[in-house]
Amino acid sequence: MYTNFSFLKRSVLGALCIAGLAGGITACKDSFLDVEPQGQQRQTQFFTNQEQAIQGVNSIYANLRSWPVVAFAHLAITTLSSDDAEKGSVAGDAAFLNDYDNFTFTATQGILNDYWGGQYQGINLCNQVLAYVPTINMDAALKTRLLAEAKFLRAYHYFNLVRAYGGVPLVLIPVTAESSPDQLNPVRNSSAEVYTQIVQDLTDAGAALPARYASTDLGRATKGAALGMLSKVKLYQKQWADVLSLSDQVIALGYTLAPDYEKMFRIEGENGPESIFEIQAQTIPGNCDASNSQWAEVQGSRPQFGWGFFNPTADLEAAYEANDKRKDATILFRGETTPQGDKIDPAAPNPRYNQKAYVPSSVDRACGYGKDQNVRILRLGEILLINAEAANELGQTAKALAAVNQVRARAGLTPLTTTDQATLRQAIWKERRVELAMENGDRFFDLVRQGRAGTVLRAQGKQFVDGKNEVFAIPQQQINITGGKLTQNPGY
């Protein structure tokens, strides 16, 4: 069954295309200008009624699918940097990606600025909603919910930024042509300050968002999404008691593990019983740029299903235990026949592709390869592993084993039984790797928070430098725009 996408079909899909930080976004994409003349109005003129409030929030969701947020920039920074992925494709195609595989990139490279700009575009759209919707005369309950959605999405973007760059400018009001020089050219906040804001936004969102929606609003942020994301943020801060409490709350909301791991990543498995938050994508006939993403297209097996980039490594393949069902559901091997009956070209240029990004040939390609594929951001499998990690750190071994073994049982594996905290920690970290591989871009950031990025990545031949490469370079373009007010990370 296809994802219900009606709430975005009714929207302007980002008609409020207003630049984020000065110079951070060079232009608005036509795909976000579906309704006129609203898209040409100033934002303070636009937010005048309830329908426009809904459209404003929908524009934030639309930005989640944009090229810099889910495609090359996102995958280079979050996935190619890890031991899970290598460049893929063919030798001469997008050779600049090798710099992210090898940690030889410089601050002037465009992908760093693309990722920065895509996140701040989303933040500015959130800030517009949070600034202008409160003054609209409209249904009070709906207003509260829309503001909570905007806070959830702003927190999501800032979580992406703080993990990638460390401390970044904390911009909480809309940036417009009339903004002051200090607003247009902000200084960096500390990582701690950014995390404090993320926690506040997610706490506010969790208190206001509903646990579920009617089918016409499927895909919007829920209470589970806010609490689940907050548990993940607290995980990165090592605030174990909060992590355990929050993940317990999410588990109690009634999500269940999807019975078939492989089918969960097909289009018919979108927004299933395990799903907590997904970036929605669906082809709209006659408007191919309106609501689809290129997350799957850039990773699909070349040349049948996509461009062939960001491929699973041999090291990832070797990380799976014998008989782990997740291996064949995550790695699409050259020459194999998929459960959906597609034979992958035996002469494909790469031995492995991301099977979670695979969209079968039976799916309509009127708008290209894989444009209908949702991007999975948060699901119960991850929450159980977050819960297990927190329980283990707090010495609650039985609780940790119960959570992690639910995930292993679905994978067809025997239960873990160790009661040694250090051994169980390593087992949970490994389980997190193979459960979430090639999915939501956490592996590099996990290695950093675990304090072992240098050791693991140098063993894979990467030129990772301790004290430098835990974060990426602040885009030089942004430093130049601010006249040097933005400072560079050490070593760059």
Side-chain angles (χ1 to χ4, degrees), residues 294-305:
Q294 291 182 267
W295 181 83
E297 181 179 32
V298 300
Q299 299 179 82
S301 61
R302 185 180 182 124
Q304 290 169 286
F305 297 101

Side-chain angles (χ1 to χ4, degrees), residues 4 24 60 132 180 207 305 318 448:
N4 188 303
I60 312 170
Y132 305 126
S180 70
F305 297 101
V448 170

